[in-house]
Amino acid sequence: MKQLKVHKKAIQLILRFHHLDQSLVPLMLLHSLIKGVLPLLPIFFTGSILNNLIGGDINNAIISIGWLIGLEVVLQIGESIVRNQFIVHSKAVGREVERILYTYPLGLDYESMEDSSVMEEFTTALMSFRYRSNYSKLVQDYGVLLSNIVSFVILIILIIQLCLQTPKVSSGILSILATPVVFICLLLGSFSIFLVALQVVLSYSNREFEKNFTLQVESEEQLMSCLKMCLDNDLIKNNHIFHSYSIIRKLFDHTFKKTCANYKKIISLEMIGTNARELGNGFISIVAYILVGIKVLAKAITVGEFIQYIQGIIQLNIMLSLILSKQNEISECVVYFDKILNFLNRKNKFETGTIPIEKRDDYKYELAFEHVSFKYPNSNEYILKDVTFKLNLHNKSALVGANGSGKTTLIKLLCRLYEPTEGVITLNGVDIKKYNYTEYLSLFSVVFQDFVMLDLPIEENIACKKEFDKEKVKKCLHRAGLSNIEHRFDEVEEEKEGSKFSGGQKQKMAIARALYKDAPIVILDEPTAALDPMSEFDIYERLNDLIGEKTCLYISHRMSSCRFCDDIIVLDKGEIVERGNHNKLLSNNSYYKKMWEAQAKYYA
Amino acid sequence: MKHSLNTIIFVWKRFLKVLGYKYNVIIAIYWIFCGLSAYFTLFVPSKAIKVLQQRTNIDNQFISLVIWSFVLVISVTVRSRLYNHMRIYTFYFRVMEGNNLLKKIVELPYTYVSSKKGKEDFGNSRAAVLQGNEIGIENLILMVLSLGENIISIMIYSILSISLHPAIFLILFITNGIRMIKDIQNSKWQKLSLNQLEKTHYEVFYINSICLDNKIGKDGRLYSMKDWINGQFSFLNNKLNSYDKDLQKKIAWAEYIGSFGNLIKNIICYGYLVYRVSNGMEISQFVLYLGVINGVSSYTQRIFYNIQEVIKNVPICAKYQEYLKNPLLVDIKGTIEIPKEVEYIYEFQNVSFGYEKEKNVISHLNLTIKSGEKIALVGENGAGKTTLVNLLIGLIQPTEGKILLNGKDISKMTPTELYKITKVVSQGVSVLPATIKENIICGDEIDEKRLHQAIKDAGLDEFVSNLPRKEDTMLTKLFDKDGIELSGGQYQRLMLARALYKDANVLILDEPTAALDPIAEASLYEKYNLFTKGKTSIFISHRLSSTRFCDRILFMKDGEIIEDGNHKELMNQGGEYKKMFDTQAYYYKKEEQRA
């Protein structure tokens, strides 16, 4: 049965993360047991209490009351203790699971991460998981489901007891209706009508809900984008200056209109479900009064037991509804959970290669491109065409060219963020794909043009770790020209990065980060773009010290930086067109010369 | 208290405005049915027992039973139905209000919006409308509704318990009250921890969004940031876990006290009821009063919860209320007219400005800019160049001194009119999720010829004419799957086209060539004279090469203009400008030329 499948799946998922905290499942089971029994106590005792009172047997009534009150307080306190522990543990495990899921993209290969469809799919799946199911909710919900099942089973026993009471009146319709057989038929019949009707309504609304779901996620994303726009100061500034209010108003109105229309649809579907349930509950309550009343009037049960059985039937109905709806919720939960877990099974495409990188102190890591051509996965245009070159060891090499000539792509290939479409990149003669991926990456200290600093303490940003060598971080900051920030560490704890720092200061932090990693090959992509002339010159001067004996590849639009590079590689439309040092390239009428003069003429 | 009431009424009034005045009636009916349902839930079982104990016609008994069960079910069902309806439509209301808030913020004055207070105020208002069902205007309305329901119900219960015996009422009151004391203590503790908790939640939200943002892709792998980020997660999770532990412990104690109070209540009340029955009270009455004493505690708890939530939500909604009162930029009217002359002369008189108190970014600045001057504004990072320009545009006001335009104080002019005279190409890219055409024309009038000229001058004509939908192509994939993304350099050209399109006399360029390669950069410089013909222009740049085609150079340091002249004059002066120029030119000069 489909319902059983849901249980199996839910249990599988709960147990999958069981190793994170062994006490969670036992707590859940214990809690479900107690929670299942607790609310039923009054139902069990009311009958005997009332009977005794009606019969004038005060003493026995008091004994029954004593048991009721006593058991209640014991179970209440027990439930409270277990539940509180359970909540703490389930939330903690839930957070661990989220950590595992959220950090998944970080281990993914770069190509997949850049692929917007992959990331979109992942983000959608993750968001749905987080808001609609998540692990702690699954465990808690399943616990509730179990407790409802416990209650349900106990109540069934009670109701069977009710059904089996035979009437003590000899004739009349009532005595027939009150016989066990007829009574059971009536009871089952009412419940069946109720359940079938409810199921029909719910499956209809669920189906419609599914249809609208992707629309809803999309509109929620767009809402978030609108919100992001409002937080962008530059956008607001431009808005004032260029008076683009009407465009933005139109955009927002359109987005909200769409979103609200969608919500309205979803809302009305929800309403159908809830209303159907309420009506159904009402129906069952009336049935309860009628049927139990028949039993009393037929003298099958006493007046004292009337309340008990009414509450029993009504509770049974409530439990049934809860079980069905929880099962529904959990099956939805399971679907989202499954979707996101599928991603975890994916492997990093580039984690091929097993050869370790040998540690060398002489920095002899020679990189070479052999007839490398490359086009991005979803494009037909070749960004690099038959590129062949060797990166000279221990040299500073400059990589220059117009926008779109392929410089950054070349770097990405070198760093194994992408793989060549044709050709081979080698390290000391061996195809880089054969090397262990993580070890290969450890060879490079890179400052990308669009480097990222996180809103966390500066020291952590430099070391890229939570635990780091304080002295080393200080030294690296100093070498990058940020010694005045050091004082901030000592004076103020936890000075966070954030937007308090100027572009130039952030750039120096990125350089400090590259220094901290201290890798044998240094790649710098426009490292002085955001720096003022003094700082730029400062960095140029320090470069020798920063790089030392290491191999360095330097991309820049600032042709001046070519002066201190030993070797200049000129790229144009994906091909290497010129190569040599500054003086050699200037002597012919080269493309390089053209670019050089374009900038230098202002400084003559 | 008065303010709280004011806020609640404000929210309710907006609700009625959005969804209709009929809701006043719906709520009244809801509360009436709350009362009915509370009463009948107690009364009907009791009445049923009475009916069953009668020794009359069985048929009559049966019919009576059926009627009363219908009465109970109808009152409960109508009440639930109305509550569900409200729950759903308050959600809808909240989302609609979100739109109002967003539309508002983009039209508020820049000074306010970019200030610390402005950001905080927005954060709070946002919580009121865009942060889910648990907080803000939606929750406020629902809590007030529930509060009404629970107060009415408890009044009925109280009246019934008093009719049993006034002392019983007191016992119920006291035993339920004991728990409330602990609950109040707990909520105070929660309030104190709230700040820290919110901060941690924000940090979690931040690190979550970092993981999903592909901007971290390259650095993330090259610096194996996965470990770092995992470390941060663990750090934050530990904080949240220990908060949970503390919270649950406190909740647990409140529950123990509650159970204990319950025990006392049960002993006394059950005891009294048994005594009354043994003295002749009917069983049906016993059942009624049993319902009363068992039901009170859940209502008192619910009332406590409602009040807590209302207290939590009112300040946030009040902030939202305040925020809506801020005047829109377009509504701010000045007292002085924009000068009608074609030639503009700007004068800065002893102007100072700081984003925070006692930290001036610009100090006592004096400057006159004549019409048609081509000015280069240079200096180190943080010298105040962008701030100076923002003051000139009128986006921010000086904290000291004044800025005059043709002799008139610009802070007294209508802002929207003032902004019409300047146009800016900034360093950052602000592309709107709209067509290329809309991105260039923005709020201006549409002039096809001017549009095509702007596209051409910015160097985008080849690109645009190759697009299937040309300038009607949607930019960014944000709101249209078929939208396109441009490269960094192309976006910068787009910003240039936008500025070129606008017909304004003052052109400001703030590092517009940062992403352009040397050839493209040179081409921009060459066209510069063309762009700035007849206009006053200010060119901010690090790259001192730009100063060669400007008439006048202003060198800023620490918020002051320390050198002012043309390139030759400043080089002869031998000051900061010369030092900076020589530094940059160093590598461009031939070996022999280097000093």
Side-chain angles (χ1 to χ4, degrees):
Chain A
M1 244 182 73
K2 205 173 88 173
Q3 311 287 19
L4 286 175
K5 237 183 161 182
V6 168
H7 281 262
K8 186 164 155 222
K9 203 69 219 236
I11 295 174
Q12 248 177 17
L13 285 170
I14 292 176
L15 290 178
R16 176 164 175 163
F17 292 103
H18 182 238
H19 61 276
L20 293 172
D21 183 348
Q22 307 275 6
S23 64
L24 192 59
V25 171
L27 278 174
M28 174 181 87
L29 293 173
L30 186 58
H31 180 249
S32 300
L33 190 60
I34 300 179
K35 187 105 202 249
V37 171
L38 182 57
L40 302 182
L41 284 178
I43 294 180
F44 276 105
F45 284 97
T46 312
S48 69
I49 295 174
L50 288 178
N51 277 339
N52 285 324
L53 286 177
I54 293 176
D57 188 353
I58 302 294
N59 288 338
N60 275 333
I62 293 179
I63 293 175
S64 299
I65 291 174
W67 272 109
L68 173 61
I69 297 178
L71 280 175
E72 226 176 42
V73 76
V74 166
L75 284 185
Q76 261 175 10
I77 293 185
E79 192 267 338
S80 174
I81 295 175
V82 177
R83 176 175 26 91
N84 286 321
Q85 278 300 307
F86 177 53
I87 290 179
V88 170
H89 282 258
S90 75
K91 276 189 165 173
V93 176
R95 287 188 187 117
E96 261 304 285
V97 173
E98 273 188 22
R99 177 186 66 78
I100 293 173
L101 292 174
Y102 267 100
T103 55
Y104 164 77
L106 298 173
L108 201 53
D109 53 272
Y110 188 72
E111 194 182 305
S112 298
M113 203 196 182
E114 280 275 284
D115 184 349
S116 58
S117 66
V118 170
M119 277 314 283
E120 241 177 67
E121 219 186 298
F122 177 76
T123 307
T124 313
L126 187 57
M127 286 297 126
S128 311
F129 168 74
R130 187 151 195 266
Y131 292 110
R132 305 184 138 266
S133 53
N134 76 60
Y135 187 77
S136 77
K137 184 172 186 304
L138 176 65
V139 177
Q140 285 177 17
D141 276 355
Y142 196 71
V144 169
L145 180 62
L146 285 180
S147 76
N148 291 340
I149 291 178
V150 168
S151 301
F152 183 78
V153 168
I154 296 176
L155 285 169
I156 290 277
I157 297 174
L158 179 76
I159 299 303
I160 291 178
Q161 201 187 17
L162 167 69
C163 296
L164 294 178
Q165 305 295 343
T166 48
K168 299 199 175 54
V169 175
S170 45
S171 65
I173 302 180
L174 280 174
S175 66
I176 298 175
L177 292 175
T179 52
V181 175
V182 179
F183 190 80
I184 291 180
C185 292
L186 285 173
L187 194 59
L188 284 177
S190 323
F191 267 94
S192 310
I193 296 173
F194 163 63
L195 286 174
V196 167
L198 192 64
Q199 217 24 54
V200 166
V201 169
L202 284 181
S203 56
Y204 165 75
S205 67
N206 276 342
R207 258 199 330 265
E208 296 295 305
F209 190 84
E210 269 304 307
K211 280 191 212 161
N212 282 310
F213 185 63
T214 30
L215 274 177
Q216 192 193 359
V217 171
E218 199 184 280
S219 40
E220 273 172 19
E221 271 172 20
Q222 287 176 350
L223 266 183
M224 282 300 115
S225 301
C226 287
L227 185 63
K228 249 182 161 171
M229 280 172 67
C230 292
L231 297 174
D232 183 353
N233 277 349
D234 275 332
L235 200 117
I236 295 183
K237 205 159 126 181
N238 266 271
N239 200 26
H240 288 331
I241 296 172
F242 291 99
H243 206 84
S244 46
Y245 305 125
S246 56
I247 298 179
I248 294 189
R249 255 182 248 141
K250 200 172 79 174
L251 193 62
F252 285 178
D253 277 339
H254 177 76
T255 310
F256 271 88
K257 204 160 139 194
K258 220 168 58 155
T259 310
C260 286
N262 212 49
Y263 277 145
K264 234 185 177 166
K265 253 200 207 144
I266 292 187
I267 281 168
S268 9
L269 288 173
E270 259 189 54
M271 257 186 120
I272 294 177
T274 2
N275 289 337
R277 264 193 214 101
E278 296 292 335
L279 280 175
N281 288 341
F283 170 69
I284 294 291
S285 296
I286 294 176
V287 163
Y289 269 86
I290 294 176
L291 290 182
V292 181
I294 288 177
K295 281 273 182 180
V296 173
L297 290 173
K299 299 213 193 320
I301 59 175
T302 64
V303 174
E305 290 162 345
F306 176 71
I307 297 290
Q308 173 176 299
Y309 286 120
I310 298 258
Q311 285 179 353
I313 294 182
I314 293 179
Q315 275 296 90
L316 185 74
N317 176 46
I318 292 177
M319 284 303 140
L320 196 58
S321 287
L322 286 177
I323 289 174
L324 289 176
S325 70
K326 264 294 170 225
Q327 260 174 197
N328 228 10
E329 261 181 65
I330 289 179
S331 71
E332 242 183 63
C333 198
V334 160
V335 166
Y336 293 124
F337 216 139
D338 245 353
K339 264 196 186 136
I340 193 71
L341 286 182
N342 275 336
F343 276 95
L344 288 192
N345 296 330
R346 276 202 201 196
K347 288 267 166 256
N348 183 331
K349 264 201 259 184
F350 292 172
E351 295 225 329
T352 55
T354 48
I355 308 179
I357 304 277
E358 50 166 317
K359 309 265 175 290
R360 308 181 71 120
D361 283 330
D362 56 5
Y363 301 129
K364 274 199 166 57
Y365 295 103
E366 192 174 65
L367 288 160
F369 272 52
E370 286 168 30
H371 300 288
V372 170
S373 297
F374 177 78
K375 61 177 165 79
Y376 282 101
N378 295 329
S379 138
N380 283 325
E381 198 196 327
Y382 273 88
I383 305 289
L384 290 177
K385 301 172 192 148
D386 197 22
V387 172
T388 302
F389 75 98
K390 253 203 192 120
L391 203 56
N392 296 340
L393 287 174
H394 312 307
N395 267 1
K396 293 191 236 353
S397 305
L399 187 58
V400 299
N403 277 350
S405 55
K407 308 191 292 291
T408 309
T409 309
L410 196 140
I411 301 297
K412 287 186 189 170
L413 288 171
L414 205 55
C415 292
R416 225 167 140 185
L417 292 173
Y418 282 96
E419 282 180 355
T421 315
E422 286 161 33
V424 152
I425 304 175
T426 63
L427 169 67
N428 289 347
V430 179
D431 183 343
I432 61 175
K433 283 197 252 197
K434 297 216 175 100
Y435 288 103
N436 174 296
Y437 189 62
T438 326
E439 292 207 16
Y440 180 79
L441 290 182
S442 69
L443 286 177
F444 297 90
S445 264
V446 190
V447 179
F448 285 105
Q449 196 178 12
D450 49 356
F451 64 85
V452 174
M453 288 287 155
L454 297 187
D455 196 1
L456 291 170
I458 299 175
E459 290 153 318
E460 284 185 29
N461 271 291
I462 305 299
C464 292
K465 286 206 166 39
K466 241 167 143 70
E467 263 115 49
F468 47 81
D469 181 344
K470 273 192 173 347
E471 274 307 309
K472 190 174 175 193
V473 168
K474 249 187 178 175
K475 242 176 43 195
C476 291
L477 281 168
H478 185 76
R479 282 167 71 193
L482 279 178
S483 28
N484 54 341
I485 293 205
E486 275 187 75
H487 291 304
R488 287 200 222 178
F489 290 140
D490 297 329
E491 279 169 9
V492 182
E493 267 181 25
E494 305 266 89
E495 183 73 36
K496 290 214 175 154
E497 206 273 338
S499 50
K500 284 202 207 134
F501 299 100
S502 67
Q505 284 174 318
K506 284 193 206 171
Q507 185 92 66
K508 291 181 185 174
M509 282 188 226
I511 293 174
R513 182 192 272 169
L515 285 173
Y516 187 91
K517 186 175 176 185
D518 202 18
I521 303 172
V522 180
I523 301 182
L524 304 163
D525 188 354
E526 298 276 6
T528 60
L531 300 183
D532 60 76
M534 312 306 287
S535 306
E536 183 182 52
F537 187 73
D538 194 25
I539 295 290
Y540 287 170
E541 292 290 277
R542 286 169 191 267
L543 267 177
N544 275 328
D545 169 46
L546 291 176
I547 296 168
E549 279 296 296
K550 303 181 183 176
T551 310
C552 169
L553 185 58
Y554 196 98
I555 305 179
S556 180
H557 282 321
R558 310 289 296 143
M559 303 303 293
S560 54
S561 56
C562 294
R563 294 308 298 278
F564 50 76
C565 291
D566 313 298
D567 183 29
I568 301 165
I569 305 171
V570 183
L571 270 185
D572 187 24
K573 297 200 185 58
E575 294 174 28
I576 298 183
V577 294
E578 288 159 14
R579 191 171 180 180
N581 70 23
H582 172 79
N583 288 328
K584 179 167 145 222
L585 288 179
L586 270 191
S587 53
N588 334 337
N589 225 348
S590 58
Y591 180 57
Y592 177 81
K593 185 169 184 186
K594 205 167 111 194
M595 286 200 290
W596 173 266
E597 311 255 272
Q599 260 183 13
K601 69 185 180 201
Y602 293 107
Y603 295 96
Chain B
M1 185 63 192
K2 203 163 159 195
H3 285 297
S4 311
L5 206 57
N6 184 310
T7 304
I8 296 175
I9 293 176
F10 159 77
V11 173
W12 180 243
K13 274 199 179 137
R14 281 197 83 88
F15 180 82
L16 291 178
K17 198 154 173 222
V18 173
L19 290 168
Y21 286 87
K22 63 186 183 200
Y23 276 85
N24 278 329
V25 175
I26 292 182
I27 285 210
I29 298 180
Y30 171 68
W31 278 336
I32 291 174
F33 271 88
C34 286
L36 289 175
S37 127
Y39 179 68
F40 285 126
T41 310
L42 291 170
F43 179 72
V44 168
S46 154
K47 183 75 180 167
I49 292 206
K50 194 160 182 182
V51 163
L52 290 170
Q53 281 182 312
Q54 288 167 341
R55 309 222 174 262
T56 54
N57 189 341
I58 284 189
D59 288 334
N60 283 347
Q61 284 178 299
F62 183 73
I63 292 173
S64 211
L65 207 57
V66 172
I67 292 176
W68 282 112
S69 66
F70 265 94
V71 165
L72 173 60
V73 165
I74 289 174
S75 55
V76 169
T77 310
V78 170
R79 190 214 67 196
S80 302
R81 175 84 168 74
L82 287 173
Y83 182 72
N84 289 332
H85 181 94
M86 287 306 292
R87 229 187 56 188
I88 285 163
Y89 280 91
T90 46
F91 168 70
Y92 182 79
F93 163 58
R94 175 175 68 76
V95 177
M96 295 292 290
E97 279 297 293
N99 189 17
N100 276 340
L101 179 66
L102 294 189
K103 282 200 291 190
K104 178 118 192 157
I105 190 184
V106 294
E107 296 189 35
L108 290 177
Y110 181 75
T111 338
Y112 175 65
V113 164
S114 58
S115 71
K116 194 166 171 206
K117 180 171 193 304
K119 290 196 182 131
E120 256 177 44
D121 288 349
F122 179 69
N124 286 322
S125 310
R126 175 182 160 185
V129 294
L130 286 173
Q131 209 155 293
N133 325 18
E134 310 289 307
I135 199 162
I137 56 183
E138 178 185 347
N139 205 27
L140 184 65
I141 295 181
L142 286 176
M143 285 302 124
V144 170
L145 267 180
S146 296
L147 192 59
E149 170 191 352
N150 294 326
I151 289 180
I152 291 175
S153 306
I154 234 194
M155 271 172 22
I156 292 176
Y157 276 63
S158 303
I159 293 173
L160 286 172
S161 68
I162 292 179
S163 76
L164 175 61
H165 194 290
I168 294 291
F169 172 70
L170 269 165
I171 301 284
L172 291 176
F173 189 76
I174 294 172
T175 51
N176 282 314
I178 302 177
R179 167 153 182 182
M180 240 200 265
I181 295 173
K182 189 70 172 93
D183 280 336
I184 291 176
Q185 212 183 48
N186 283 352
S187 76
K188 277 204 183 129
W189 175 84
Q190 268 187 285
K191 206 167 168 198
L192 285 175
S193 328
L194 193 63
N195 241 348
Q196 188 56 30
L197 188 68
E198 275 177 353
K199 213 166 142 231
T200 312
H201 276 311
Y202 178 74
E203 289 182 46
V204 170
F205 170 72
Y206 174 74
I207 202 76
N208 283 348
S209 58
I210 288 291
C211 288
L212 295 177
D213 192 344
N214 60 359
K215 76 179 179 189
I216 205 182
K218 303 201 278 287
D219 282 328
R221 280 156 191 73
L222 267 307
Y223 290 97
S224 38
M225 287 186 177
K226 189 168 183 180
D227 292 333
W228 179 25
I229 293 181
N230 268 324
Q232 177 69 357
F233 264 109
S234 298
F235 171 68
L236 293 174
N237 283 348
N238 283 340
K239 271 195 188 172
L240 290 174
N241 289 343
S242 77
Y243 172 80
D244 278 340
K245 270 207 191 115
D246 291 337
L247 179 65
Q248 290 300 133
K249 228 198 248 178
K250 293 198 185 307
I251 291 178
W253 272 104
E255 286 173 351
Y256 303 153
I257 292 176
S259 292
F260 179 69
N262 214 32
L263 182 65
I264 307 281
K265 170 201 87 174
N266 280 340
I267 293 174
I268 297 178
C269 294
Y270 269 99
Y272 181 70
L273 279 175
V274 169
Y275 163 73
R276 285 288 296 268
V277 167
S278 65
N279 279 7
M281 185 170 81
E282 288 187 28
I283 290 296
S284 61
Q285 292 291 81
F286 177 81
V287 167
L288 179 73
Y289 289 118
L290 201 61
V292 171
I293 62 177
N294 282 331
V296 174
S297 60
S298 77
Y299 281 112
T300 49
Q301 281 225 273
R302 279 183 230 175
I303 288 180
F304 180 72
Y305 173 70
N306 290 149
I307 293 179
Q308 260 191 305
E309 289 288 302
V310 168
I311 291 176
K312 193 171 84 180
N313 280 305
V314 160
I316 292 170
C317 298
K319 290 261 163 81
Y320 175 64
Q321 188 183 10
E322 276 295 310
Y323 201 82
L324 290 182
K325 290 199 189 132
N326 280 313
L328 294 179
L329 187 73
V330 295
D331 293 330
I332 300 180
K333 298 281 176 242
T335 47
I336 304 183
E337 288 253 322
I338 308 292
K340 299 231 191 325
E341 300 90 29
V342 178
E343 308 218 323
Y344 288 135
I345 300 180
Y346 281 91
E347 208 184 320
F348 281 63
Q349 287 182 348
N350 202 21
V351 167
S352 298
F353 178 84
Y355 289 102
E356 297 165 37
K357 290 205 174 98
E358 274 119 59
K359 250 184 118 188
N360 272 346
V361 179
I362 306 256
S363 303
H364 305 293
L365 196 118
N366 287 297
L367 173 68
T368 306
I369 299 178
K370 297 206 183 56
S371 175
E373 275 189 319
K374 300 198 191 331
I375 296 180
L377 188 55
V378 300
E380 284 180 11
N381 279 346
K385 310 191 290 289
T386 307
T387 309
L388 176 67
V389 154
N390 282 345
L391 283 165
L392 185 96
I393 298 172
L395 281 172
I396 51 183
Q397 272 76 48
T399 46
E400 254 185 82
K402 27 185 195 187
I403 304 173
L404 305 177
L405 173 63
N406 288 5
K408 307 201 183 106
D409 188 348
I410 65 170
S411 66
K412 298 212 170 37
M413 299 180 189
T414 306
T416 40
E417 294 297 307
L418 184 61
Y419 299 161
K420 285 193 181 153
I421 30 181
T422 53
K423 43 188 187 168
V424 184
V425 182
S426 358
Q427 203 172 8
V429 170
S430 324
V431 60
L432 297 169
T435 62
I436 294 180
K437 186 173 176 178
E438 286 172 319
N439 263 289
I440 294 177
I441 297 182
C442 286
D444 231 329
E445 65 214 13
I446 303 179
D447 180 341
E448 294 285 334
K449 205 161 147 232
R450 214 174 0 138
L451 174 67
H452 289 127
Q453 189 61 41
I455 294 179
K456 182 152 170 260
D457 287 338
L460 278 174
D461 46 345
E462 204 187 309
F463 174 74
V464 170
S465 54
N466 282 340
L467 293 171
R469 299 184 63 195
K470 301 214 193 326
E471 60 261 16
D472 287 320
T473 314
M474 214 34 174
L475 291 178
T476 79
K477 293 194 189 294
L478 230 45
F479 296 94
D480 184 348
K481 293 275 177 217
D482 295 326
I484 60 171
E485 298 277 0
L486 305 179
S487 73
Q490 284 169 329
Y491 274 129
Q492 218 157 40
R493 289 178 205 263
L494 183 70
M495 295 297 108
L496 182 61
R498 181 189 279 172
L500 292 176
Y501 183 85
K502 183 174 177 182
D503 187 22
N505 278 349
V506 182
L507 170 63
I508 298 167
L509 296 112
D510 191 349
E511 298 276 11
T513 61
L516 299 182
D517 59 70
I519 311 271
E521 186 186 359
S523 137
L524 178 74
Y525 290 168
E526 270 148 43
K527 292 204 210 144
Y528 191 65
N529 271 328
L530 184 70
F531 298 155
T532 58
K533 208 171 190 153
K535 303 195 200 305
T536 313
S537 74
I538 302 181
F539 197 106
I540 304 176
S541 180
H542 277 152
R543 306 192 181 176
L544 298 182
S545 47
S546 62
T547 62
R548 304 311 292 280
F549 46 78
C550 297
D551 315 317
R552 183 178 173 195
I553 299 161
L554 299 173
F555 190 94
M556 276 188 86
K557 187 174 179 159
D558 297 327
E560 293 179 28
I561 298 178
I562 60 172
E563 290 176 28
D564 180 352
N566 65 30
H567 174 76
K568 238 196 185 152
E569 286 167 11
L570 293 186
M571 289 303 277
N572 285 341
Q573 231 180 313
E576 299 268 353
Y577 175 79
K578 177 172 198 299
K579 196 164 117 191
M580 201 183 243
F581 189 87
D582 284 343
T583 308
Q584 220 175 48
Y586 189 72
Y587 283 110
Y588 286 104
K589 295 197 196 297
K590 304 201 201 306
E591 292 281 351
E592 322 83 60
Q593 287 179 312
R594 289 188 201 166

